[in-house]
Amino acid sequence: MATLDMTAPSDRRQALRRMLLIREFERAVRDNFADGEIPGFVHLYLGQEAVAVGACAALTDDDYVTSTHRGHGHCLAKGMDERRLMAELYGRSEGYCRGKGGSMHAADLDEGMLGAQPIVGAGVPLATGAGLTAQLHDRDWVGLSFFGDGAVAEGQVHESINLAATWDLPAIYVIENNLYSEGMTFEKQHNVDDLADSAAAYGIPGVVVDGMDVEAVYEAVTEARERAARGDGPTLIEAKTYRYRGHYEGDPEPYRTQAEVDEWRENRDAIDTFAARLREEDIIDEGDREEMEAAVKADIEAAIEYARDAPFPDPEEAYDDVFVEPNPDVEYFRERRDGAGSTGGAGR
Ligand SMILES: Cc1ncc(C[n+]2csc(CCOP(=O)(O)OP(=O)(O)O)c2C)c(N)n1
């Protein structure tokens, strides 16, 4: 999805619409999962819409993102089509991975979504890889990884950011600190107030941003992207946010109170805050939000119908796309590795 200019009224309206689309998508998934229409597990992004939309609005179509088990919002914000994403969740062959990936594995290389990764932290090295590819092949894209506060405790996350920092790779790391990792509170898992502080250990900027403010996220990612494009290396951004639903649908949530959830929803909701700001600035009027909501609702209803009507994949396809022929680039790196005078590494 194209970059937004958040100084332009029409683009700010567009940002609000994208957040509403994600919210409506997730509400529909919540309801239809409860009705048994959607197989597997789902982890909803409700509450965190400002992070995905703010970050992706600062990226170009050529940039790459990686996602997590809570990935529907990232997919939609990056420009994936709600009908094919819904079909993927429904396990249908019209889905992005022909229904074989489901909620936690959606990917679309055309829109720059390298994939949702349910292994906690596993998307981070992929974004580093996108940055390394850009550097090695003189391409203009950046790799941005979304990951949770829980993922920060994974070894591969540290290794990936350290490598990107050392090699000045065009990468951006966005921690979505929603205060919980499954049932573990943030305080029980980390000994710091701000996870962005760990940026000091990599020698890169660490930025804390209000993840309930779409424009604040947009500004932080815009700056990080400019820095990456200049060849100055990665930035670590911590967006403080909150998830409204349980870790997964069906989670009894013994680790938090309803009062806490209500407090965030009523007083800090990212969509309400942004819509109120746009109203104050006369960019939308009273009826605009309702109109936008009705429009996205119709889009999501159409997506559900599309998913319901789509066929299931043929069982014979089960092993398709599991292995690929080596990409020519593999030979390129192999030759570099085996070249005269090499010490065996792929080199920089
Ligand atoms: C390597 C690994 N360890 C454990 C799990 C089980 N698991 C799935 S999600 C999750 C919590 C992740 O929390 P966080 O990274 O904060 O993301 P959030 O759910 O808050 O979006 C855990 C422990 C997993 N999928 N992968």
Side-chain angles (χ1 to χ4, degrees):
M1 203 173 267
T3 317
L4 297 184
D5 170 6
M6 293 289 260
T7 59
S10 59
D11 283 15
R12 295 173 82 199
R13 288 168 62 100
Q14 186 60 19
L16 179 63
R17 193 184 192 284
R18 284 186 194 178
M19 289 164 76
L20 288 168
L21 182 80
I22 294 171
R23 183 155 295 186
E24 204 51 47
F25 185 95
E26 294 296 65
R27 283 181 175 152
V29 172
R30 175 195 65 196
D31 294 345
N32 294 2
F33 178 80
D35 288 346
E37 281 193 37
I38 298 172
F41 263 100
V42 292
H43 306 75
L44 297 181
Y45 197 66
L46 285 164
Q48 299 182 210
E49 296 90 347
V51 186
V53 172
C56 291
L59 300 180
T60 71
D61 288 346
D62 290 338
D63 291 337
Y64 286 102
V65 302
T66 68
S67 178
T68 71
H69 54 284
R70 200 176 301 288
H72 312 159
H74 307 139
C75 292
L76 293 172
K78 192 65 178 72
M80 286 167 67
D81 174 61
E82 65 274 5
R83 289 173 313 156
R84 290 188 63 203
L85 184 62
M86 193 66 86
E88 186 58 42
L89 267 62
Y90 271 71
R92 308 300 169 112
S93 61
E94 303 297 321
Y96 275 104
C97 304
R98 299 222 287 277
K100 295 188 287 182
S103 166
M104 287 193 273
H105 303 88
D108 179 24
L109 302 193
D110 292 340
E111 290 292 352
M113 165 51 77
L114 288 176
Q117 303 291 332
I119 306 296
V120 172
V124 185
L126 294 181
T128 301
L132 177 60
T133 308
Q135 190 185 70
L136 287 172
H137 293 275
D138 292 325
R139 303 305 290 263
D140 291 333
W141 66 65
V142 304
L144 180 148
S145 184
F146 292 104
F147 53 103
D149 44 293
V152 174
E154 286 286 344
Q156 59 179 321
V157 172
H158 164 73
E159 292 170 41
S160 304
I161 303 176
N162 187 56
L163 196 73
T166 309
W167 290 356
D168 289 330
L169 299 183
I172 303 170
Y173 300 99
V174 178
I175 306 166
E176 294 191 65
N177 184 354
N178 63 13
L179 304 184
Y180 296 97
S181 324
E182 205 158 347
M184 178 77 79
T185 62
F186 174 75
E187 293 76 20
K188 279 190 185 150
Q189 197 178 8
H190 299 282
N191 196 29
V192 290
D193 291 333
D194 296 323
L195 292 168
D197 284 354
S198 61
Y202 310 119
I204 62 172
V207 181
V208 177
V209 73
D210 180 356
M212 302 305 267
D213 181 342
V214 65
E215 291 180 291
V217 176
Y218 171 82
E219 277 162 29
V221 175
T222 298
E223 201 171 307
R225 198 192 179 287
E226 283 165 5
R227 181 181 144 77
R230 280 198 306 271
D232 290 344
T235 301
L236 181 65
I237 297 170
E238 178 185 6
K240 309 268 192 192
T241 183
Y242 197 74
R243 63 165 156 77
Y244 292 167
R245 299 292 292 172
H247 172 66
Y248 59 92
E249 285 304 287
D251 178 2
E253 302 179 62
Y255 48 84
R256 68 178 181 181
T257 62
Q258 188 58 44
E260 180 187 285
V261 182
D262 293 344
E263 212 278 316
W264 280 83
R265 291 182 83 122
E266 281 157 27
N267 302 321
R268 306 186 56 177
D269 182 73
I271 295 181
D272 289 348
T273 308
F274 189 45
R277 192 182 298 160
L278 296 186
R279 264 203 306 276
E280 269 164 36
E281 296 178 28
D282 284 332
I283 290 168
I284 59 170
D285 63 30
E286 280 300 317
D288 278 346
R289 176 171 171 178
E290 278 165 32
E291 260 174 45
M292 279 187 205
E293 272 171 341
V296 296
K297 222 177 168 65
D299 288 347
I300 298 303
E301 273 163 20
I304 291 167
E305 286 313 310
Y306 179 81
R308 282 182 182 145
D309 290 348
F312 286 104
D314 187 336
E316 301 217 340
E317 284 180 27
Y319 294 107
D320 289 355
D321 307 318
V322 176
F323 300 103
V324 289
E325 289 300 314
N327 183 302
D329 283 353
V330 172
E331 295 308 321
Y332 166 85
F333 289 110
R334 196 169 280 147
E335 277 166 27
R336 287 185 60 144
R337 182 194 66 191
D338 297 340
S342 166
T343 54
R348 284 178 64 174

